[in-house]
Amino acid sequence: QPQLVESGGGLVQPGGSLRLSCAASGFTLKTYAIGWFRQAPGKEREGVSCIDRNGGSVNYLDSVKGRFTSSRDNAKNTVYLQMNSLKPEDTADYLCAATYSCSNIGPSEYYGVPYWGKGTLVTVSS
């Protein structure tokens, strides 16, 4: 059964870093672009980044550009989100998702996303 599992979330102080992982099982990750989303309490889900199938192109939400970096290791069936210079407003549940194309994911809308992870919580607080 296709599955995505996120890990690496936790509590970090403002200015700190975390690296999230998204591990796939039950399907071949390299056949999909992978998006990272986040959802804070009481807010809509937003697209944070999307990396294409071979990792050659990555899109980012404006508010995380220069701070977040997505990468992938298709041999390990895993995608990563390196988050630096974290801010309290980055606090959210972070989910990864498999999509057919990064053109399917925007900051506030998405479609054609057949597989979702359950999320990992990131809390940025002093």
Side-chain angles (χ1 to χ4, degrees), residues 6-119:
E6 303 90 342
S7 61
L11 173 64
V12 63
Q13 293 187 341
S17 298
L18 283 174
R19 188 175 83 153
L20 306 184
S21 298
C22 170
S25 61
F27 70 101
T28 304
L29 191 72
K30 66 181 180 181
T31 62
Y32 292 89
I34 299 296
W36 283 97
F37 293 79
R38 67 185 181 187
Q39 188 162 17
K43 294 189 176 181
E44 296 292 321
R45 183 173 294 181
E46 62 180 356
V48 175
S49 71
C50 186
I51 185 168
D52 69 359
R53 292 182 179 85
N54 61 14
S57 176
V58 189
N59 301 326
Y60 296 98
L61 184 69
D62 284 348
S63 61
V64 308
K65 284 180 180 176
R67 300 188 298 122
F68 289 13
T69 303
S70 183
S71 61
R72 65 191 298 161
D73 186 338
N74 286 336
K76 294 183 178 180
N77 244 20
T78 302
V79 173
Y80 306 96
L81 185 67
Q82 177 68 42
M83 305 186 297
N84 299 327
S85 302
L86 282 161
K87 305 175 181 180
E89 52 264 42
D90 294 319
T91 294
D93 195 26
Y94 283 73
L95 307 92
C96 63
T99 182
Y100 304 112
S101 169
C102 284
S103 61
N104 294 350
I105 294 176
S108 58
E109 59 184 14
Y110 51 88
Y111 61 95
V113 183
Y115 307 129
W116 288 89
K118 293 184 178 180

